[in-house]
């Protein structure tokens, strides 16, 4: 199996290979000129937002297929693999940007990493803006208009519009999950836990290891995860390891033994048993399917 392509530059269509920190495209234009590129599985070095104004089709992210509908907003973080199967009636926007593009004009340097859909968590790969569709579409329209001014374009104005979108999407997620004051502290703990998992899932596999870092008891961490996420602390760790395992099996030519070593399993047989227990098939069979 060949490694899937990774797009290094935000500007996918620039013939001069000019590196950019931000670019916006009309979805119909992308599909007309680079359909073969995006319909094949690929990944990016940058963040990507796809907004669906109308149309039908599917979008597959990390081997999970989503059926698109009006008002859908998809978020892809660096190294997530995805592909599109969008029909000709699709209309919308694609925005590619780096963290530097947003952080270059604000002092709160951890803003981007605090956004829930930036943390490489698959549950936030898709939201639907619902009643806010017109407002969101208007902001994308303004970004596109400003970007098309070329010589008279104001990058700062584009950054303000993008920041507005990012904050509105964050609010949409919070409203959807019905956050309230009493849940803020448990929610904060789980967010810190998920951030630690993202950084250390290769070497730390037990809730007690994370609980020690977070200065809470393993029982409290587990109960809080159950309350906020409906999953145990161990489930959240295991699901991240399984996600990485699936990515490596699908997107690389690494053998099961090499993946087991990379993910710090004591041997290939233990990795294979672990994978089959929770996925239902052995790693090599999952790769073939």
């Amino acid at each position: 199996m060949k490694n899937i392509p990774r797009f290094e530059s935000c500007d996918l269509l620039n013939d001069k290979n000019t590196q950019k920190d931000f670019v916006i495209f009309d979805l119909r234009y992308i599909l007309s000129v680079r359909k073969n590129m995006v319909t094949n599985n690929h990944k990016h070095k940058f963040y990507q937002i796809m907004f669906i104004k109308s149309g039908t089709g599917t979008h597959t992210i990390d081997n999970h297929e989503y059926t698109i509908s009006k008002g859908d907003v998809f978020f892809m973080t660096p190294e997530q693999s995805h592909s599109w199967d969008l029909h000709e009636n699709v209309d919308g926007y694609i925005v590619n940007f780096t963290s530097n593009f947003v952080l270059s004009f604000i002092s709160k340097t951890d803003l981007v990493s605090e956004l829930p859909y930036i943390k490489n968590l698959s549950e936030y790969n898709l939201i639907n803006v619902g009643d806010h569709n017109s407002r969101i579409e208007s902001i994308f329209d303004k970004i596109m208009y400003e970007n098309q001014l070329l010589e008279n374009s104001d990058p700062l104005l584009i950054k303000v519009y993008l920041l507005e979108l990012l904050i509105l999407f964050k609010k949409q997620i919070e409203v959807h999950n019905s956050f309230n004051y009493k849940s803020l502290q448990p929610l904060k703990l789980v967010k810190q836990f998920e951030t630690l998992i993202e950084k250390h899932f290769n070497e730390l596999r037990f809730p007690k290891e994370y609980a020690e870092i977070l200065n809470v008891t393993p029982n409290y961490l587990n109960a809080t995860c159950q309350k906020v996420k409906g999953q145990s602390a161990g489930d959240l760790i295991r699901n991240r390891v399984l996600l990485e395992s699936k990515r490596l099996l699908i997107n690389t030519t690494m053998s099961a033994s090499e993946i087991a070593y990379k993910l710090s399993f004591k041997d290939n047989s233990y990795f294979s048993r672990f994978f089959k227990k929770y996925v239902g098939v052995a790693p090599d069979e999952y790769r073939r399917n």
Side-chain angles (χ1 to χ4, degrees), residues 191-206:
K191 284 184 175 181
Q192 291 173 334
F193 177 45
E194 289 177 324
T195 299
L196 286 174
I197 292 175
E198 191 61 35
K199 292 174 64 176
H200 301 295
F201 69 86
N202 269 346
E203 64 270 11
L204 303 183
R205 294 293 170 78
F206 299 102

Side-chain angles (χ1 to χ4, degrees), residues 33-199:
V33 299
R34 291 294 174 95
K35 186 172 183 178
N36 290 337
M37 175 187 289
V38 297
T39 54
N40 293 322
N41 205 27
H42 62 280
K43 55 187 177 181
H44 314 127
K45 195 177 180 180
F46 45 84
Y47 296 99
Q48 183 175 88
I49 300 174
M50 177 194 293
F51 173 60
I52 304 297
K53 293 165 63 175
S54 62
T56 55
T58 59
H59 187 188
T60 302
I61 306 175
D62 283 333
N63 211 34
H64 181 88
E65 183 176 282
Y66 301 89
T67 300
I68 70 168
S69 59
K70 178 180 178 180
D72 280 349
V73 179
F74 291 94
F75 304 97
M76 278 70 69
T77 59
E79 302 307 321
Q80 280 196 296
S81 62
H82 73 125
S83 60
W84 315 342
D85 184 11
L86 306 182
H87 302 160
E88 293 182 358
N89 62 349
V90 166
D91 193 9
Y93 290 115
I94 282 285
V95 167
N96 301 329
F97 66 96
T98 65
S99 57
N100 287 337
F101 180 76
V102 178
L103 298 177
S104 61
F105 75 110
I106 58 175
S107 58
K108 188 172 173 53
T109 57
D110 56 352
L111 172 67
V112 172
S113 62
E114 286 182 351
L115 299 173
Y117 41 81
I118 293 298
K119 290 185 175 182
N120 207 18
L121 304 176
S122 58
E123 66 183 291
Y124 298 122
N125 279 146
L126 168 64
I127 66 170
N128 188 282
V129 295
D131 295 338
H132 301 285
N133 187 73
S134 296
R135 182 181 182 184
I136 299 300
E137 183 176 334
S138 174
I139 299 172
F140 275 106
D141 288 342
K142 289 189 288 187
I143 294 176
M144 177 63 84
Y145 173 79
E146 190 65 29
N147 191 68
Q148 289 177 335
L149 292 178
L150 299 178
E151 293 182 1
N152 295 322
S153 176
D154 188 338
L156 182 58
L157 190 54
I158 292 176
K159 291 176 181 179
V160 170
Y161 292 146
L162 178 61
L163 185 59
E164 182 180 5
L165 282 177
L166 296 176
I167 293 174
L168 286 174
F169 294 146
K170 180 175 181 289
K171 289 179 63 177
Q172 183 79 5
I173 290 172
E174 292 172 348
V175 170
H176 176 74
N177 290 331
S178 300
F179 294 156
N180 55 54
Y181 179 76
K182 291 183 179 180
S183 70
L184 287 179
Q185 286 305 110
L187 177 64
K188 182 178 179 180
L189 175 62
V190 173
K191 284 184 175 181
Q192 291 173 334
F193 177 45
E194 289 177 324
T195 299
L196 286 174
I197 292 175
E198 191 61 35
K199 292 174 64 176

